[in-house]
Coordinates of all heavy atoms in Angstrom, one line a residue:
R118 N 15.2 -15.0 13.4 CA 14.0 -14.0 13.4 C 12.7 -14.8 13.2 O 12.2 -14.8 12.1 CB 14.2 -13.0 12.2 CG 15.6 -12.3 12.2 CD 15.7 -11.3 11.1 NE 14.7 -10.3 11.1 CZ 14.4 -9.4 10.1 NH1 15.1 -9.5 8.9 NH2 13.5 -8.5 10.2
P119 N 12.2 -15.3 14.3 CA 11.0 -16.2 14.1 C 9.9 -15.4 13.5 O 9.6 -14.3 13.9 CB 10.7 -16.5 15.6 CG 12.0 -16.4 16.3 CD 12.7 -15.3 15.6
G120 N 9.2 -16.0 12.5 CA 8.1 -15.4 11.9 C 8.4 -14.5 10.7 O 7.6 -14.1 9.9
H121 N 9.7 -14.2 10.6 CA 10.1 -13.3 9.5 C 9.7 -13.8 8.1 O 9.1 -13.0 7.4 CB 11.7 -13.1 9.6 CG 12.2 -12.3 8.4 ND1 12.0 -11.0 8.1 CD2 13.1 -12.8 7.4 CE1 12.6 -10.7 7.0 NE2 13.3 -11.7 6.6
F122 N 10.1 -15.0 7.8 CA 9.8 -15.5 6.5 C 8.3 -15.8 6.2 O 7.9 -15.7 5.1 CB 10.6 -16.7 6.1 CG 12.1 -16.4 5.8 CD1 13.1 -17.0 6.5 CD2 12.4 -15.4 4.9 CE1 14.4 -16.6 6.2 CE2 13.7 -15.1 4.6 CZ 14.7 -15.7 5.2
D123 N 7.5 -16.0 7.3 CA 6.1 -16.1 7.1 C 5.6 -14.7 6.6 O 4.8 -14.7 5.7 CB 5.4 -16.4 8.4 CG 5.5 -17.8 8.9 OD1 6.1 -18.6 8.1 OD2 5.0 -18.2 9.9
G124 N 6.1 -13.7 7.2 CA 5.7 -12.3 6.8 C 6.1 -12.0 5.4 O 5.4 -11.5 4.5
V125 N 7.4 -12.4 5.0 CA 7.9 -12.2 3.7 C 7.1 -13.0 2.7 O 6.6 -12.4 1.6 CB 9.4 -12.6 3.6 CG1 9.9 -12.6 2.2 CG2 10.2 -11.6 4.5
A126 N 6.9 -14.3 2.9 CA 6.2 -15.1 1.9 C 4.8 -14.7 1.7 O 4.3 -14.7 0.6 CB 6.3 -16.6 2.4
T127 N 4.1 -14.3 2.8 CA 2.7 -13.8 2.7 C 2.6 -12.6 1.9 O 1.8 -12.5 0.9 CB 2.2 -13.6 4.1 OG1 2.3 -14.8 4.9 CG2 0.7 -13.2 4.1
V128 N 3.5 -11.6 2.1 CA 3.3 -10.3 1.4 C 3.7 -10.5 -0.1 O 3.1 -10.0 -1.0 CB 4.1 -9.1 2.0 CG1 5.6 -9.2 1.8 CG2 3.5 -7.8 1.5
V129 N 4.8 -11.3 -0.3 CA 5.2 -11.5 -1.7 C 4.2 -12.3 -2.5 O 4.0 -12.0 -3.7 CB 6.6 -12.1 -1.7 CG1 7.0 -12.5 -3.2 CG2 7.7 -11.2 -1.1
A130 N 3.5 -13.2 -1.8 CA 2.5 -14.0 -2.5 C 1.4 -13.0 -3.0 O 0.8 -13.1 -4.1 CB 1.9 -15.1 -1.6
I131 N 1.0 -12.1 -2.1 CA 0.0 -11.1 -2.4 C 0.4 -10.2 -3.5 O -0.3 -10.0 -4.5 CB -0.4 -10.3 -1.1 CG1 -1.0 -11.1 -0.1 CG2 -1.3 -9.1 -1.5 CD1 -1.1 -10.5 1.3
L132 N 1.7 -9.7 -3.5 CA 2.2 -8.9 -4.5 C 2.3 -9.6 -5.9 O 1.9 -9.1 -6.9 CB 3.6 -8.3 -4.1 CG 3.6 -7.3 -3.0 CD1 5.1 -7.1 -2.6 CD2 2.9 -6.0 -3.4
F133 N 2.7 -10.9 -5.8 CA 2.8 -11.6 -7.1 C 1.4 -11.8 -7.7 O 1.2 -11.6 -8.9 CB 3.4 -13.0 -6.8 CG 4.9 -13.1 -6.7 CD1 5.6 -11.9 -6.7 CD2 5.5 -14.3 -6.6 CE1 7.0 -12.0 -6.6 CE2 6.9 -14.3 -6.5 CZ 7.7 -13.2 -6.5
D134 N 0.4 -12.0 -6.8 CA -1.0 -12.2 -7.3 C -1.5 -10.9 -7.9 O -2.1 -10.8 -8.9 CB -1.8 -12.7 -6.1 CG -3.2 -13.1 -6.6 OD1 -3.3 -13.8 -7.7 OD2 -4.2 -12.8 -5.9
L135 N -1.3 -9.8 -7.1 CA -1.9 -8.5 -7.6 C -1.2 -8.0 -8.9 O -1.9 -7.4 -9.7 CB -1.7 -7.4 -6.5 CG -2.5 -7.6 -5.2 CD1 -2.1 -6.5 -4.2 CD2 -4.0 -7.5 -5.5
V136 N 0.1 -8.2 -9.0 CA 0.8 -7.6 -10.1 C 0.7 -8.5 -11.3 O 0.7 -8.0 -12.5 CB 2.3 -7.2 -9.7 CG1 3.1 -6.7 -10.9 CG2 2.3 -6.2 -8.6
G137 N 0.8 -9.8 -11.1 CA 0.8 -10.7 -12.2 C 1.9 -10.6 -13.1 O 1.8 -10.7 -14.4
A138 N 3.1 -10.3 -12.5 CA 4.3 -10.1 -13.3 C 4.9 -11.4 -14.0 O 4.6 -12.5 -13.5 CB 5.4 -9.5 -12.5
D139 N 5.7 -11.2 -15.0 CA 6.4 -12.4 -15.6 C 7.7 -12.7 -14.9 O 8.1 -13.8 -14.8 CB 6.7 -12.1 -17.1 CG 5.4 -11.8 -17.9 OD1 4.6 -12.7 -18.0 OD2 5.1 -10.6 -18.2
H140 N 8.3 -11.6 -14.4 CA 9.6 -11.7 -13.7 C 9.5 -10.9 -12.4 O 8.9 -9.9 -12.4 CB 10.7 -11.1 -14.6 CG 10.8 -11.7 -15.9 ND1 10.7 -11.0 -17.1 CD2 11.0 -13.0 -16.3 CE1 10.8 -11.7 -18.1 NE2 11.0 -13.0 -17.7
A141 N 10.2 -11.4 -11.4 CA 10.4 -10.7 -10.1 C 11.9 -10.7 -9.8 O 12.6 -11.7 -10.0 CB 9.6 -11.3 -9.0
Y142 N 12.3 -9.5 -9.4 CA 13.8 -9.3 -9.1 C 14.0 -9.2 -7.7 O 13.4 -8.3 -7.0 CB 14.2 -8.1 -9.9 CG 14.0 -8.2 -11.4 CD1 12.8 -7.9 -12.0 CD2 15.0 -8.7 -12.2 CE1 12.6 -8.1 -13.3 CE2 14.8 -8.9 -13.6 CZ 13.6 -8.6 -14.1 OH 13.4 -8.8 -15.4
F143 N 15.0 -10.0 -7.2 CA 15.4 -10.0 -5.8 C 16.9 -9.9 -5.7 O 17.6 -10.3 -6.6 CB 14.9 -11.2 -5.0 CG 13.4 -11.2 -4.8 CD1 12.5 -11.7 -5.8 CD2 12.8 -10.7 -3.7 CE1 11.1 -11.7 -5.7 CE2 11.4 -10.7 -3.5 CZ 10.6 -11.2 -4.5
G144 N 17.4 -9.4 -4.5 CA 18.8 -9.3 -4.4 C 19.4 -10.5 -3.7 O 18.9 -11.1 -2.8
Q145 N 20.6 -10.9 -4.3 CA 21.4 -12.0 -3.7 C 21.8 -11.7 -2.3 O 22.1 -12.6 -1.5 CB 22.6 -12.3 -4.6 CG 23.6 -13.2 -4.1 CD 23.1 -14.6 -3.9 OE1 22.2 -15.0 -4.7 NE2 23.7 -15.4 -3.0
K146 N 21.8 -10.4 -1.9 CA 22.2 -10.0 -0.6 C 21.3 -10.7 0.5 O 21.7 -11.1 1.5 CB 22.0 -8.5 -0.4 CG 22.5 -8.1 1.0 CD 22.0 -6.7 1.3 CE 22.0 -6.6 2.8 NZ 20.7 -6.5 3.4
D147 N 20.0 -10.9 0.1 CA 19.1 -11.7 1.0 C 18.9 -13.1 0.3 O 17.9 -13.4 -0.2 CB 17.8 -11.0 1.1 CG 18.0 -9.6 1.7 OD1 18.1 -9.5 2.9 OD2 18.0 -8.6 1.0
A148 N 20.0 -13.9 0.4 CA 20.1 -15.1 -0.4 C 19.0 -16.1 0.1 O 18.4 -16.8 -0.8 CB 21.5 -15.8 -0.2
Q149 N 18.8 -16.2 1.4 CA 17.8 -17.1 1.8 C 16.4 -16.7 1.4 O 15.5 -17.5 1.1 CB 17.8 -17.3 3.4 CG 17.0 -18.4 3.9 CD 17.1 -18.5 5.4 OE1 17.6 -17.7 6.1 NE2 16.6 -19.6 6.0
Q150 N 16.2 -15.4 1.4 CA 14.9 -14.9 0.9 C 14.6 -15.3 -0.5 O 13.4 -15.7 -0.8 CB 14.9 -13.3 1.0 CG 13.7 -12.7 0.4 CD 13.6 -11.2 0.8 OE1 13.1 -10.8 1.8 NE2 14.2 -10.4 -0.1
V151 N 15.6 -15.3 -1.4 CA 15.4 -15.8 -2.8 C 15.0 -17.2 -2.8 O 14.0 -17.6 -3.5 CB 16.7 -15.6 -3.6 CG1 16.6 -16.2 -5.0 CG2 17.1 -14.1 -3.7
R152 N 15.6 -18.1 -1.9 CA 15.2 -19.5 -1.9 C 13.8 -19.7 -1.4 O 13.0 -20.5 -1.9 CB 16.1 -20.3 -0.9 CG 17.6 -20.2 -1.1 CD 18.0 -20.8 -2.4 NE 19.5 -20.8 -2.4 CZ 20.3 -19.8 -2.6 NH1 19.8 -18.6 -2.7 NH2 21.6 -19.9 -2.6
V153 N 13.4 -18.9 -0.4 CA 12.1 -19.0 0.2 C 11.0 -18.6 -0.8 O 10.0 -19.3 -1.0 CB 12.0 -18.1 1.5 CG1 10.6 -18.0 2.0 CG2 12.9 -18.7 2.6
I154 N 11.3 -17.5 -1.5 CA 10.3 -17.0 -2.5 C 10.2 -18.0 -3.7 O 9.1 -18.3 -4.2 CB 10.8 -15.6 -3.1 CG1 10.8 -14.6 -1.9 CG2 9.9 -15.2 -4.2 CD1 9.6 -14.3 -1.2
R155 N 11.3 -18.6 -4.1 CA 11.2 -19.5 -5.2 C 10.4 -20.8 -4.8 O 9.6 -21.2 -5.6 CB 12.6 -20.0 -5.6 CG 13.4 -19.0 -6.4 CD 14.6 -19.5 -7.1 NE 15.1 -18.5 -8.0 CZ 16.4 -18.2 -8.2 NH1 17.3 -18.9 -7.5 NH2 16.8 -17.3 -9.0
Q156 N 10.6 -21.2 -3.6 CA 9.9 -22.4 -3.1 C 8.4 -22.0 -3.0 O 7.5 -22.8 -3.4 CB 10.4 -22.7 -1.7 CG 9.7 -23.9 -1.0 CD 10.3 -25.2 -1.5 OE1 11.5 -25.4 -1.6 NE2 9.5 -26.2 -1.9
M157 N 8.1 -20.9 -2.5 CA 6.7 -20.4 -2.4 C 6.0 -20.3 -3.7 O 4.9 -20.9 -3.9 CB 6.7 -19.1 -1.7 CG 5.3 -18.4 -1.4 SD 4.7 -17.5 -2.9 CE 5.8 -16.1 -2.8
A158 N 6.7 -19.7 -4.7 CA 6.1 -19.5 -6.0 C 5.9 -20.9 -6.7 O 4.9 -21.1 -7.3 CB 7.0 -18.6 -6.9
R159 N 6.9 -21.8 -6.6 CA 6.7 -23.1 -7.2 C 5.6 -23.8 -6.5 O 4.7 -24.4 -7.2 CB 8.0 -23.9 -7.0 CG 8.1 -25.2 -7.8 CD 9.3 -26.0 -7.5 NE 10.5 -25.1 -7.4 CZ 11.5 -25.3 -6.4 NH1 11.4 -26.2 -5.5 NH2 12.5 -24.5 -6.4
D160 N 5.5 -23.9 -5.2 CA 4.5 -24.6 -4.5 C 3.1 -24.1 -4.7 O 2.1 -24.9 -4.8 CB 4.8 -24.7 -3.0 CG 6.0 -25.5 -2.7 OD1 6.6 -26.2 -3.6 OD2 6.5 -25.5 -1.6
L161 N 3.0 -22.8 -4.9 CA 1.6 -22.2 -5.1 C 1.3 -22.0 -6.5 O 0.3 -21.4 -6.9 CB 1.6 -20.8 -4.4 CG 1.7 -20.8 -2.8 CD1 1.6 -19.4 -2.2 CD2 0.8 -21.8 -2.2

Side-chain angles (χ1 to χ4, degrees):
R118 304 179 64 192
H121 169 67
F122 284 126
D123 284 359
V125 170
T127 302
V128 77
V129 173
I131 295 167
L132 290 171
F133 280 7
D134 190 41
L135 291 176
V136 176
D139 302 290
H140 305 120
Y142 299 85
F143 289 86
Q145 171 66 27
K146 185 197 159 248
D147 299 283
Q149 189 177 14
Q150 174 168 272
V151 175
R152 307 296 189 286
V153 168
I154 299 300
R155 284 194 172 136
Q156 182 80 46
M157 179 275 288
R159 190 184 321 137
D160 292 351
L161 299 183

